[in-house]
């Protein structure tokens, strides 16, 4: 495929808009429920015009093509900073791809339009004309209620070049261009297609597409040249003029210190641009001169804050050596730059703002007087353009100055100070947790819930959250317990890998999935158990299963086996079921009642268990008791050890300490100061528990890596901080003598197989910590002696050798949970229990243990899902599930060019199918960033080509039309010509499965017959 975009002729653009709307009540994928209709009758005055909202896309990917601008307008944008043009254009740019990466803070390497200057001129005029039509036809606003702001760069010779001069003049008076009459004549000759467009209305559309400019200059451009260009634009071109400023005006020290303080210390740059760019001391007098010069020429002058910050490419994030920083990391820099400039001018300078704008800060930004406001990064994230809809709604209620000046300097100072300390903008981890699944994206039916896939038991997360949200708690707990026998325990303690993959993270933060499960359990349990019946023991097999160990793994295995009608008995050495949850995890983290409820669930379905059972009973003895299958769920309870050079007192094992606390004895004397060695959840439990022991004043968590790489849950770490636990990073204990814990200082090296950096000792650098006791929480081990004594084969590390279904070297003896995996999570143990139960059920009953549930969506529910798209929520608000298992469309949402199109294909699984349109794609890479699969939709989704040459130059599976009803198709790499019959059937001999061929047939025929507006004669 090519990274060069084709442009859509105006006639085809209008046809696409209105036919798609008639088909699906969408335009470029935007549901009409998100069409923004102007409600603000108090417009903003800027550049001698009135705009309905001072909001829109900044110069970037969203203002490069006509359809991009149209899409932004539909959802509330009214101020459009057009993508920058320069003399070097088209194929001469030679931009490396991909060029955008916004998985958290944003980076890009693209900097001006990829079109030729003449193409860009035509795109902007087409967009202007189309918006004028849409405003009237759909009642979205006034035809004069939006504004185009052209952007040019990058030096005086380029901006005064005839090519750029023609571009400027063409936007000042579009009637002199070739494209203007083409647009006008098309509408006039197709008036019958519109309901609210008349010839008089068409004639009233102003040909003055833009009377303003934002000047973008190269890094290192001398101040005298910047001023020369600005004077040319003001005096010669008579344009209202903004100069785009770079964050380098803040100075290297401020920028470096700010980013380091906020957790962005890994962002690499030196002081080169700060030395060669415009200096603050030169900028202020120049801006004052230009402000006065503009007043003399009766045009407006102002600044645009901010350009992006150039930083080094250090980890191959994007091709090349340098990229530009944007988004949430740029916000504290840009807002502080705006503040400093506003102070210098006492609020009497127009400042348009861009730099990390989103739903959480736009109100403050606008009410301070920074107007208009534009953004790029937030609308490149899931939800895409629809994020403008929320921004527009926020602005409706804002009390911002309608003339753009004066700026409220005192308010801006408060905003700027807050930006550096605000939790939302801080970076707690060096890299964002990957939301990618280790699965390739399918050609069709690709919608998937990453939360479900990443859950070891594939819990039906979106389905039960919908039930919880609608108050159907009994149905929710019934659905949950099909796969999860411990809803109270997991609803409280689950490590929730589902939340790490939740698509909502790219909005604000994950849906509170674990908490939703607990709500379902607490509210639905009484109703659920009333209707619960005990499964009858099957007569097909009268085998009995013994499960040794009553922790989560053993409980889960017993649950699933008993549900299948198999007789099962749990043998637990302690006085209660629950394993580490009951006996080790402190009661301030989970109530005993919650554990008892899960035990009660097992009792109700008929699981038998015996407590205080001897650990020394052998496997042979269980077999003699008539148990055909033995499942070992004995945990990993052998304490980990720490080798110290010297130690004059006993170190305390974390599990022993926690068990003592839970039993209420709490007799361990810890002294005033305690050190806990480790960085996992057990270490945090021990530290928080120690802080609750009488006499303890200080607790230190001693960890060999940094906090960022702790395996503990972030929320548990925050709770530990709230309890006053202090973390000492990058140290490893080497001795404990006379109350002094001596530690070796460490540094981080290359990553190990877990993806975390290896801690490396720093020679001759030690630290001494005065403590009274040391608790070890450094990982427990499997009791290999028990396994060895029962003749189970072990590997060289002492771990059991098992088959893929967890069978040990002894037939019909299985091992699960921590005993198999080593210390692992509760949810992983449940998955282990299910895995072995499924194996035994298959062997004995010759049936597959089926946990699938049927859950269908109505059209009304689909509309509800659409309404949730693009809406950010504050931390205090409930985070709605996006239900991406049924309506994903992420690759469609985040594509600036609308190259990933939603096709509704009858008969297929997903409500929508995704069709990639090669001609509209520039391979920016944004869809690859956010697709939940480990794939790139622009390479891997079924692709439609406008031309045969495009088809032949690509490797994508897809199709191209070569004649009426005749197509060339590439499928699984094989190319064939296919002719459809008029009824949509085809005569197609293929080497694919019948299902795949039939689904592809439906896909192509639906596209051809119901989405024919996509078939465009490319230009």
């Amino acid at each position: 495929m090519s990274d060069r975009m084709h442009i859509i002729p105006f006639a085809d653009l209008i046809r696409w808009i209105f036919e798609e709307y008639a088909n699906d009540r969408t335009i470029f994928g935007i549901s009409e429920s998100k069409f923004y209709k102007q409600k603000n009758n108090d417009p903003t005055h800027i550049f001698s015009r009135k705009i309905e909202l001072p909001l829109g896309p900044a110069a970037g990917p969203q203002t490069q093509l006509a359809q991009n601008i149209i899409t932004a307008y539909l959802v509330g944008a009214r101020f459009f900073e057009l993508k920058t043009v320069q003399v070097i254009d088209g194929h001469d740019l030679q931009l490396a791809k991909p060029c955008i990466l916004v998985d958290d803070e944003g980076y890009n390497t693209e900097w001006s339009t990829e079109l030729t200057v003449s193409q860009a001129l035509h795109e902007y005029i087409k967009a202007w004309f189309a918006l004028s039509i849409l405003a009237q036809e759909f009642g979205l606003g006034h035809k004069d209620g939006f504004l185009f702001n052209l952007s040019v760069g990058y030096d005086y010779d380029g901006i005064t070049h005839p090519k750029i001069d023609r571009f400027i003049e063409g936007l000042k008076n579009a009637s002199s261009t070739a494209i203007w009459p083409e647009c006008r004549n098309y509408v006039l000759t197709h008036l019958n297609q519109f309901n609210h467009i008349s010839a008089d209305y068409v004639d009233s559309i102003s040909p003055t597409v833009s009377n303003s400019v934002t000047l973008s200059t190269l890094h290192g451009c001398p101040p005298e040249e910047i001023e020369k260009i600005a004077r040319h634009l003001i005096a010669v071109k008579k344009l209202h003029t903004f100069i785009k400023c770079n964050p380098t005006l803040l100075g290297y020290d401020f920028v470096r210190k700010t980013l380091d303080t906020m957790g962005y210390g890994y962002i690499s740059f030196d002081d080169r641009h700060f030395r060669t760019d415009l200096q603050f001391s030169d900028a202020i007098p120049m801006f004052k001169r230009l402000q006065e010069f503009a007043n003399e020429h009766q045009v407006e002058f102002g600044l645009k804050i901010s350009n992006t910050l150039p930083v080094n490419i250090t980890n191959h994030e994007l091709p090349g050596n340098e990229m530009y920083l944007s988004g949430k990391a740029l916000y504290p820099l840009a807002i502080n730059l705006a503040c400093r400039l506003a102070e210098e001018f006492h609020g009497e300078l127009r400042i348009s703002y861009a730099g990390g704008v989103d739903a959480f800060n736009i109100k403050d930004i606008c009410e301070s007087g920074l107007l208009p406001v534009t953004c790029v990064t937030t609308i490149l994230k899931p939800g895409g353009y629809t994020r403008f809809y929320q921004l527009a709604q926020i602005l409706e209620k804002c009390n911002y100055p309608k003339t753009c000046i004066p700026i409220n300097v005192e308010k801006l100072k408060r905003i700027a100070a807050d930006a550096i300390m605000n939790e939302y903008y801080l970076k707690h981890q060096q890299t964002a947790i990957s939301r990618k699944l280790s699965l390739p994206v399918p050609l069709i039916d690709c919608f998937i819930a990453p939360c479900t896939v990443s859950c070891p038991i594939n819990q039906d997360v979106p389905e039960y959250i919908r039930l919880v949200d609608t108050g159907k708690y009994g149905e929710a707990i019934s659905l949950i317990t099909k796969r999860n026998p411990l809803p109270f325990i997991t609803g409280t303690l689950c490590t929730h890998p589902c939340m790490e993959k939740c698509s909502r993270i790219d909005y604000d933060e994950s849906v509170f999935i674990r908490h939703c499960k607990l709500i379902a359990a607490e509210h639905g349990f009484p109703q659920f158990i009333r209707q619960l019946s005990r499964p009858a023991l099957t007569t097909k097999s009268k085998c009995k299963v013994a499960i040794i160990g009553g922790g989560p793994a053993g409980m889960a295995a017993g649950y699933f086996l008993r549900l299948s009608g198999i007789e099962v008995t749990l043998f637990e050495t302690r006085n209660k079921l629950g394993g580490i949850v009951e006996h080790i995890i402190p009661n301030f983290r989970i109530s005993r009642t919650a554990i008892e409820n899960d035990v009660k669930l097992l009792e109700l379905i008929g699981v038998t268990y015996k407590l205080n059972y001897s650990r020394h009973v052998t496997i042979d003895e269980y077999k003699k008791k008539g148990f055909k299958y033995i499942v070992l769920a004995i945990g990993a309870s052998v304490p980990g050890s720490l080798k110290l050079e010297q130690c004059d007192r006993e170190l305390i094992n974390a599990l022993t300490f926690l068990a003592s606390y839970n039993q209420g004895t709490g007799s361990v004397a810890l002294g005033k100061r305690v050190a806990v060695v480790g960085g996992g959840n057990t270490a945090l439990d021990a530290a928080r528990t120690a802080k609750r022991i009488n006499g303890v004043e200080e607790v230190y968590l001693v960890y060999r890596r940094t906090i960022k790489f702790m395996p503990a849950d972030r929320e548990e770490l925050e709770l530990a901080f709230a309890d006053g636990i202090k973390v000492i990073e990058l140290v490893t204990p080497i001795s404990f003598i006379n109350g002094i814990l001596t530690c070796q200082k460490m540094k981080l090296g290359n990553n190990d197989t877990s993806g975390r950096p290896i801690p490396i000792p720093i020679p001759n650098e030690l630290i001494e910590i005065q403590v009274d006791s040391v608790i070890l929480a450094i990982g427990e081990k499997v009791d290999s002696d028990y396994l060895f004594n029962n003749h189970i084969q072990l590997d060289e590390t002492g771990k059991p050798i098992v088959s893929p279904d967890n069978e040990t070297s002894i037939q019909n003896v299985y091992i699960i949970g921590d005993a198999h995996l080593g210390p692992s999570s509760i949810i992983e143990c449940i998955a282990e229990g299910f895995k072995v139960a499924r194996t035994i059920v298959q062997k004995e009953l010759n049936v597959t243990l089926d946990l699938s549930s049927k859950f269908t969506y109505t059209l009304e529910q689909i509309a509800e899902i659409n309404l949730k798209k693009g809406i950010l929520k504050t931390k205090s608000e409930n985070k709605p599930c996006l239900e991406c298992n049924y309506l994903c469309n992420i690759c469609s949402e985040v594509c600036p060019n609308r190259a990933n199109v939603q096709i509704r294909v009858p008969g297929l699984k997903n409500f929508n199918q995704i069709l990639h349109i090669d001609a509209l794609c520039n391979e920016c890479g944004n869809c690859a960033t956010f697709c939940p699969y480990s794939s790139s939709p622009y390479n891997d989704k079924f692709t439609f080509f406008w031309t045969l040459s495009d088809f032949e130059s690509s490797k994508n599976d897809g199709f191209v039309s070569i004649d009426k009803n005749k197509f060339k198709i590439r499928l699984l790499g094989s190319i064939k010509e296919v002719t459809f019959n008029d009824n949509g059937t085809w005569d197609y001999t293929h080497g694919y499965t019948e299902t795949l061929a039939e689904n592809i047939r439906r896909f192509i025929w639906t596209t051809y017959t119901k989405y024919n507006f996509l078939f465009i004669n490319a230009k």
Side-chain angles (χ1 to χ4, degrees):
M1 62 183 298
S2 169
D3 67 350
R4 295 294 169 178
M5 302 166 292
H6 296 290
I7 61 175
I8 305 174
F10 184 76
D12 289 320
L13 191 70
I14 298 299
R15 184 169 67 93
W16 181 330
I17 290 169
F18 285 90
E19 288 187 19
E20 180 187 339
Y21 180 75
N23 264 8
D24 297 334
R25 284 298 187 263
T26 64
I27 297 176
F28 295 123
I30 303 296
S31 168
E32 70 174 334
S33 63
K34 288 293 177 75
F35 289 2
Y36 178 78
K37 297 190 176 182
Q38 180 57 32
K39 303 179 183 66
N40 190 344
N41 295 318
D42 189 10
T44 300
H45 298 258
I46 184 170
F47 304 150
S48 304
R49 292 187 173 183
K50 300 176 181 179
I51 59 171
E52 292 162 342
L53 282 176
L55 167 70
Q62 292 94 350
T63 56
Q64 181 163 231
L65 298 173
Q67 67 265 26
N68 306 7
I69 296 170
I70 292 166
T71 306
Y73 176 80
L74 289 170
V75 286
R78 294 297 184 265
F79 180 92
F80 301 86
E81 184 188 10
L82 305 177
K83 194 163 188 184
T84 308
V85 298
Q86 58 155 327
V87 168
I88 303 173
D89 61 359
H91 288 274
D92 292 336
L93 274 177
Q94 297 181 343
L95 294 177
K97 303 296 176 67
C99 56
I100 295 173
L101 180 65
V102 295
D103 56 344
D104 196 16
E105 70 267 19
Y107 301 100
N108 71 87
T109 56
E110 45 87 43
W111 32 283
S112 64
T113 180
E114 298 169 49
L115 305 177
T116 65
V117 172
S118 61
Q119 285 177 324
L121 174 66
H122 284 201
E123 284 300 284
Y124 299 151
I125 293 172
K126 285 191 300 183
W128 175 264
F129 214 100
L131 295 196
S132 300
I133 298 301
L134 292 176
Q136 177 73 5
E137 183 68 9
F138 290 98
L140 302 179
H142 196 274
K143 71 176 186 301
D144 297 324
F146 54 89
L147 186 152
F148 283 14
N149 173 236
L150 65 93
S151 177
V152 296
Y154 290 96
D155 58 18
Y156 182 80
D157 288 342
I159 289 169
T160 57
H161 189 281
K163 183 194 295 188
I164 303 300
D165 195 69
R166 286 193 296 272
F167 172 84
I168 293 172
E169 291 300 321
L171 290 182
K172 285 171 63 179
N173 183 4
S175 64
S176 61
T177 66
I179 190 65
W180 182 265
E182 179 184 325
C183 298
R184 179 178 179 276
N185 291 340
Y186 175 84
V187 176
L188 288 174
T189 55
H190 292 82
L191 287 176
N192 62 327
Q193 296 181 4
F194 307 103
N195 295 318
H196 305 290
I197 304 297
S198 65
D200 288 342
Y201 179 82
V202 174
D203 288 338
S204 72
I205 298 173
S206 172
T208 305
V209 174
S210 181
N211 66 347
S212 65
V213 63
T214 294
L215 168 62
S216 183
T217 56
L218 292 169
H219 287 283
C221 187
E224 57 270 20
E225 180 158 9
I226 296 173
E227 185 166 2
K228 183 179 180 182
I229 299 170
R231 287 177 177 268
H232 168 77
L233 295 171
I234 291 168
V236 178
K237 296 287 104 182
K238 306 295 184 184
L239 293 171
H240 303 286
T241 302
F242 276 5
I243 293 180
K244 189 173 288 187
C245 297
N246 295 323
T248 50
L249 277 171
L250 289 165
Y252 175 82
D253 291 341
F254 178 87
V255 172
R256 183 73 272 170
K257 180 181 178 182
T258 298
L259 292 178
D260 289 349
T261 299
M262 299 184 70
Y264 299 96
Y266 58 89
I267 296 177
S268 171
F269 54 89
D270 56 29
D271 66 350
R272 176 169 54 97
H273 289 300
F274 293 85
R275 287 185 284 103
T276 59
D277 277 5
L278 179 66
Q279 301 297 299
F280 199 85
S281 57
D282 295 326
I284 298 305
M286 177 177 70
F287 295 155
K288 289 181 177 178
R289 291 193 298 271
L290 288 173
Q291 189 178 40
E292 184 177 344
F293 185 71
N295 288 337
E296 292 172 2
H297 287 81
Q298 298 182 322
V299 297
E300 296 176 16
F301 173 79
L303 305 179
K304 178 64 180 286
I305 308 297
S306 150
N307 211 337
T308 49
L309 177 71
V311 300
N312 299 325
I313 296 173
T314 57
N315 293 306
H316 308 289
E317 298 96 333
L318 293 171
N321 300 312
E322 192 172 69
M323 57 188 178
Y324 302 101
L325 174 70
S326 65
K328 62 190 297 185
L330 183 64
Y331 174 67
L333 305 179
I335 201 71
N336 272 277
L337 177 56
C339 182
R340 289 192 187 183
L341 291 167
E343 281 187 273
E344 289 288 337
F345 285 82
H346 308 290
E348 296 298 327
L349 174 69
R350 293 177 179 83
I351 299 179
S352 176
Y353 184 84
V357 175
D358 62 23
F360 298 139
N361 56 32
I362 190 169
K363 181 177 185 292
D364 284 340
I365 292 169
C366 288
E367 288 186 344
S368 73
L370 300 181
L371 298 167
V373 169
T374 59
C375 53
V376 169
T377 304
T378 190
I379 53 176
L380 283 170
K381 293 177 181 284
Y385 288 96
T386 61
R387 292 190 178 206
F388 272 130
Y389 187 77
Q390 183 182 22
L391 296 175
Q393 290 182 313
I394 292 171
L395 285 192
E396 282 178 7
K397 303 171 185 176
C398 281
N399 183 27
Y400 54 83
K402 298 302 187 286
T403 58
C404 300
I405 48 174
I407 291 172
N408 186 332
V409 176
E410 291 306 312
K411 182 177 180 64
L412 189 52
K413 284 182 182 179
R414 294 192 294 272
I415 298 169
D418 174 73
I420 297 174
M421 300 181 294
N422 193 306
E423 177 71 19
Y424 177 69
Y425 304 104
L426 301 182
K427 190 70 173 280
H428 296 293
Q429 292 178 297
Q430 179 166 328
T431 55
I433 296 173
S434 173
R435 264 82 78 197
K436 289 286 187 180
L437 303 169
S438 55
L439 297 169
V441 65
L443 281 179
I444 55 177
D445 287 333
C446 60
F447 293 180
I448 194 170
C451 53
T452 295
V453 176
S454 60
C455 175
I457 61 172
N458 299 133
Q459 185 78 76
D460 317 76
V461 174
E463 290 86 352
Y464 83 67
I465 288 179
R466 172 168 277 278
L467 291 170
V468 170
D469 286 346
T470 54
K472 298 177 181 177
Y473 305 115
E475 292 180 44
I477 193 65
S478 178
L479 180 61
I480 289 166
T481 53
K482 283 182 178 292
R483 295 179 180 272
N484 185 349
L486 309 176
F488 284 90
I489 291 173
T490 55
T492 308
L493 297 176
C494 185
T495 52
H496 51 66
C498 54
M499 290 173 63
E500 293 180 358
K501 299 292 185 182
C502 176
S503 298
R504 182 140 205 120
I505 292 174
D506 295 313
Y507 278 68
D508 29 54
E509 59 183 332
S510 170
V511 176
F512 303 148
I513 297 171
R514 185 176 70 186
H515 184 62
C516 287
K517 183 185 279 95
L518 186 59
I519 290 174
E522 291 177 338
H523 292 275
F525 195 65
Q527 174 189 343
F528 174 62
I529 61 175
R530 282 197 299 270
Q531 62 191 35
L532 192 64
S533 59
R534 177 176 297 194
L537 292 175
T538 179
T539 56
K540 191 173 183 180
S541 170
K542 295 183 179 180
C543 78
K544 297 194 299 181
V545 180
I547 300 174
I548 318 305
M555 293 170 73
Y559 176 85
F560 292 118
L561 286 166
R562 188 64 188 84
L563 276 183
S564 302
I566 292 178
E567 184 177 350
V568 59
T569 304
L570 269 67
F571 296 89
E572 169 58 46
T573 60
R574 302 194 190 190
N575 61 350
K576 290 183 179 181
L577 296 184
I580 195 171
V581 179
E582 170 66 45
H583 301 287
I584 302 299
I585 294 177
N587 53 26
F588 57 80
R589 282 192 62 199
I590 184 169
S591 72
R592 300 306 104 174
T593 302
I595 303 170
E596 290 165 3
N597 282 339
D598 284 343
V599 173
K600 185 176 182 180
L601 182 57
L602 267 66
E603 294 172 346
L604 289 170
I605 66 166
V607 175
T608 300
Y609 59 88
K610 298 182 182 296
L611 304 175
N612 299 310
Y613 207 76
S614 173
R615 183 67 168 269
H616 301 293
V617 178
T618 66
I619 289 173
D620 285 341
E621 288 177 288
Y622 283 112
K623 287 187 174 182
K624 289 176 182 178
K625 292 178 183 291
F627 292 103
K628 181 176 181 179
Y629 296 95
I630 314 295
V631 180
L632 301 177
I634 59 176
S637 56
V638 177
S641 59
L642 177 67
K643 293 182 179 180
L644 299 180
E645 295 174 3
Q646 292 179 298
C647 185
D648 64 0
R649 67 190 72 182
E650 185 179 357
L651 305 181
I652 302 168
N653 173 258
L655 296 188
T656 303
F657 166 66
L658 289 168
S660 175
Y661 177 84
N662 262 6
Q663 291 165 9
T665 56
S667 59
V668 179
L670 298 179
K672 291 183 178 181
R673 290 174 294 277
V674 181
V676 178
V677 182
N681 284 341
T682 300
L684 293 183
D685 283 346
R688 296 181 65 203
T689 301
K691 197 70 189 299
R692 288 164 166 78
I693 299 295
N694 287 338
V696 174
E697 296 175 0
E698 297 289 345
V699 177
Y700 306 100
L701 198 65
V702 176
Y703 184 56
R704 59 183 183 153
R705 293 186 176 92
T706 61
I707 290 175
K708 290 180 180 179
F709 298 105
M710 276 186 174
D713 292 348
R714 292 296 104 183
E715 62 217 87
E716 297 302 325
L717 189 60
E718 289 173 8
L719 289 170
F721 287 148
D723 283 347
I725 308 301
K726 298 176 182 177
V727 178
I728 302 175
E729 304 174 297
L730 294 171
V731 292
T732 293
I734 58 174
S735 72
F736 185 35
I737 298 290
N738 297 324
I740 300 297
L741 183 66
T742 303
C743 299
Q744 173 78 56
K745 286 190 175 182
M746 313 294 280
K747 64 180 179 180
L748 298 181
N750 296 327
N751 288 356
D752 61 17
T753 55
S754 73
R756 295 185 299 165
I758 300 170
I760 301 170
I762 303 174
N764 304 318
E765 290 198 28
L766 305 175
I767 182 175
E768 294 183 344
I769 309 167
Q770 185 176 355
V771 294
D772 299 301
S773 53
V774 175
I775 300 174
L776 295 184
I778 55 176
E780 287 63 49
K781 300 176 182 177
V782 177
D783 187 353
S784 55
D785 287 344
Y786 175 86
L787 300 176
F788 179 80
N789 293 335
N790 278 278
H791 312 295
I792 291 173
Q793 289 185 7
L794 308 175
D795 64 17
E796 62 278 4
T797 67
K799 292 184 177 180
I801 298 172
V802 301
S803 68
D805 58 7
N806 287 35
E807 190 173 23
T808 68
S809 55
I810 301 175
Q811 185 180 13
N812 291 344
V813 176
Y814 297 84
I815 189 164
I816 60 175
D818 291 354
H820 169 227
L821 303 172
S824 48
S825 68
I826 295 168
I827 200 71
E828 287 172 327
C829 288
I830 294 174
E832 288 270 291
F834 169 71
K835 180 181 180 182
V836 166
R838 180 180 56 192
T839 299
I840 294 173
V841 169
Q842 183 67 49
K843 275 187 176 183
E844 284 299 312
L845 307 181
N846 197 28
V847 296
T848 301
L849 190 52
D850 183 16
L851 304 181
S852 61
S853 56
K854 302 296 182 183
F855 200 92
T856 57
Y857 283 75
T858 65
L859 289 175
E860 291 76 12
Q861 289 169 333
I862 292 166
E864 290 173 17
I865 298 172
N866 263 320
L867 287 174
K868 292 185 283 189
K869 298 283 188 174
I871 305 298
L872 278 65
K873 295 286 187 178
T874 65
K875 283 188 176 291
S876 61
E877 293 179 285
N878 181 41
K879 306 299 182 296
C881 174
L882 298 171
E883 302 181 80
C884 36
N885 60 317
Y886 199 76
L887 197 65
C888 178
N889 293 338
I890 288 177
C891 63
S892 172
E893 294 166 8
V894 303
C895 177
N897 301 337
R898 320 320 283 158
N900 298 318
V901 178
Q902 304 161 32
I903 304 290
R904 297 182 182 178
V905 184
L908 296 192
K909 175 184 173 184
N910 287 158
F911 178 68
N912 286 342
Q913 298 296 322
I914 298 297
L915 178 68
H916 179 67
I917 301 182
D918 173 79
L920 300 183
C921 179
N922 66 342
E923 299 186 10
C924 73
N926 202 43
C927 63
T929 296
F930 295 107
C931 175
Y933 294 93
S934 58
S935 302
S936 305
Y938 68 92
N939 286 321
D940 302 319
K941 287 301 294 178
F942 201 58
T943 302
F944 171 45
F945 298 89
W946 282 356
T947 69
L948 186 58
S949 62
D950 287 342
F951 176 86
E952 291 173 343
S953 65
S954 174
K955 295 181 180 179
N956 284 22
D957 283 344
F959 68 101
V960 62
S961 174
I962 53 178
D963 202 351
K964 182 188 177 188
N965 289 17
K966 190 173 183 180
F967 300 88
K968 200 169 240 188
I969 299 172
R970 183 187 297 109
L971 191 56
L972 305 183
S974 175
I975 298 176
K976 297 179 181 179
E977 283 191 9
V978 174
T979 300
F980 281 83
N981 300 314
D982 287 339
N983 62 359
T985 60
W986 63 8
D987 298 317
Y988 184 20
T989 57
H990 53 78
Y992 322 119
T993 67
E994 185 176 341
T995 300
L996 176 61
E998 173 58 17
N999 288 342
I1000 292 298
R1001 181 198 68 78
R1002 288 174 181 268
F1003 201 164
I1004 296 173
W1005 187 248
T1006 299
T1007 304
Y1008 182 57
T1009 55
K1010 293 188 177 180
Y1011 294 84
N1012 190 259
F1013 53 85
L1014 298 175
F1015 289 69
I1016 291 170
N1017 294 321
K1019 292 187 179 180

